[in-house]
Amino acid sequence: MIDRSLLRDSFKKYINRFNAEDERISLKIRHTAFVANNSDHLSETLELTEDDKDLAWAIAMLHDLGRFEQVAANGSFIDSVSSDHADAGVDYLFGKGKISDFIPQGTLSDNDLNCIELAITYHNKHLLPPQLSDRQRLFCNIIRDADKLDIFRVCVENTFEVAHEYPPETVAESAVSKEVLECFERFETLDYSRRKYPADIFLGHIAMCFGLYFPQSRKLAAEQGYIMRMADFTFSNPDSQEEYVYMKERLEAFLNSCM
């Protein structure tokens, strides 16, 4: 069984290496706690065993370790300008063998350790690979949903620049790519490798709601209201604003279907 107190203490020791006065660092500390709570909520609704609930919680606690190094080195959350934060976290935990700092050797089976590695690896990827087992896919989907649900909160409670990498004025003036518009048409998430304009980052964050896997997650996202608060935005670019009116209509239709 995973020792939650030990893992929490190890996480605190890890983040003490970083400057908590940095808004991006403090954001990620809080984000980790919220994602862990979301994971527990989903685990309860899915009626997981206590051991599997703890495993999902541990994945949530460890899923963004790579973000801290990324922000300290680059001051940005954009993986394409630095490194893939999920891959960096997996390399730290499993490549460098630091997983034993958080979960002592012998606590988990090799299969469960593999679930942690895969769930962290794929928590930020556009799609899951088809070869995953049902158990691996379960834990991947839990962390992906728990993460998305808190990203909506993060985008509302933090400054626009930190949440979306650009000031609101820059996004308001921006064009919107055809790929983003198509995501709202089809109720699909945006493949981040296809982002072209500043507005695509902002709109890509909203479109994350289309990728929520569990019905419980979609219902919770609709009830929390963070997504529509994120969407309270006006483009100064007239073409983008016209497209955005349509995208908001699609967003509202999707969220209404989740209630």
Side-chain angles (χ1 to χ4, degrees):
M1 179 178 292
I2 290 172
D3 185 333
R4 292 197 179 203
S5 295
L6 174 63
L7 200 156
R8 282 194 192 95
D9 289 344
S10 298
F11 178 78
K12 289 177 183 177
K13 289 177 183 177
Y14 175 81
I15 61 176
N16 281 343
R17 299 162 46 198
F18 304 95
N19 177 18
E21 298 300 315
D22 184 325
E23 183 181 0
R24 287 178 170 83
I25 296 295
S26 62
L27 177 161
K28 280 299 165 185
I29 295 171
R30 296 188 71 233
H31 170 67
T32 299
F34 275 96
V35 173
N37 287 339
N38 288 341
S39 178
D40 273 344
H41 173 77
L42 286 173
S43 295
E44 289 284 352
T45 64
L46 294 168
E47 299 182 346
L48 299 190
T49 66
E50 287 301 313
D51 284 351
D52 281 355
K53 180 179 174 180
D54 285 343
L55 183 60
W57 176 86
I59 291 167
M61 289 295 296
L62 300 173
H63 83 285
D64 256 359
L65 289 190
R67 281 294 196 200
F68 294 94
E69 295 282 359
Q70 181 188 53
V71 169
N74 303 285
S76 172
F77 290 140
I78 300 180
D79 288 343
S80 60
V81 302
S82 54
S83 61
D84 184 300
H85 73 278
D87 293 344
V90 166
D91 180 64
Y92 178 81
L93 288 168
F94 294 95
K96 296 181 172 62
K98 298 296 185 180
I99 185 67
S100 59
D101 291 350
F102 301 90
I103 302 173
Q105 288 184 349
T107 302
L108 297 177
S109 68
D110 289 344
N111 285 338
D112 282 352
L113 287 170
N114 186 238
C115 280
I116 294 177
E117 182 174 1
L118 289 170
I120 295 174
T121 297
Y122 291 111
H123 86 267
N124 68 330
K125 304 302 189 286
H126 182 52
L127 298 171
L128 293 177
Q131 70 270 21
L132 297 177
S133 69
D134 289 345
R135 181 169 173 78
Q136 291 166 345
R137 190 171 297 275
L138 170 67
F139 288 104
C140 285
N141 280 320
I142 290 173
I143 186 57
R144 285 163 69 88
D145 275 16
D147 188 37
K148 289 183 179 73
L149 284 168
D150 193 59
I151 288 173
F152 306 139
R153 179 198 63 80
V154 166
C155 288
V156 168
E157 294 185 356
N158 292 273
T159 62
F160 196 96
E161 291 88 339
V162 165
H164 305 296
E165 297 292 335
Y166 290 96
E169 296 81 11
T170 300
V171 172
E173 296 167 355
S174 169
V176 174
S177 71
K178 179 183 72 172
E179 289 82 0
V180 170
L181 186 60
E182 290 174 348
C183 285
F184 281 80
E185 287 176 346
R186 298 192 295 256
F187 296 148
E188 293 179 356
T189 56
L190 175 66
D191 182 346
Y192 280 1
S193 69
R194 304 182 72 186
R195 296 185 298 194
K196 297 178 181 178
Y197 307 113
D200 293 352
I201 296 177
F202 163 64
L203 294 169
H205 287 156
I206 295 175
M208 281 183 175
C209 69
F210 303 138
L212 291 167
Y213 179 79
F214 296 105
Q216 300 95 315
S217 302
R218 296 192 290 271
K219 186 174 186 294
L220 182 59
E223 291 173 346
Q224 287 177 334
Y226 288 121
I227 299 170
M228 290 311 300
R229 288 172 66 185
M230 285 171 62
D232 184 14
F233 188 83
T234 302
F235 284 86
S236 57
N237 181 319
D239 292 335
S240 297
Q241 179 60 23
E242 182 178 351
E243 293 169 336
Y244 189 50
V245 169
Y246 169 75
M247 285 188 277
K248 284 185 71 174
E249 290 174 353
R250 296 294 289 166
L251 176 64
E252 289 172 350
F254 175 80
L255 293 175
N256 287 336
S257 74
C258 297
M259 297 296 286

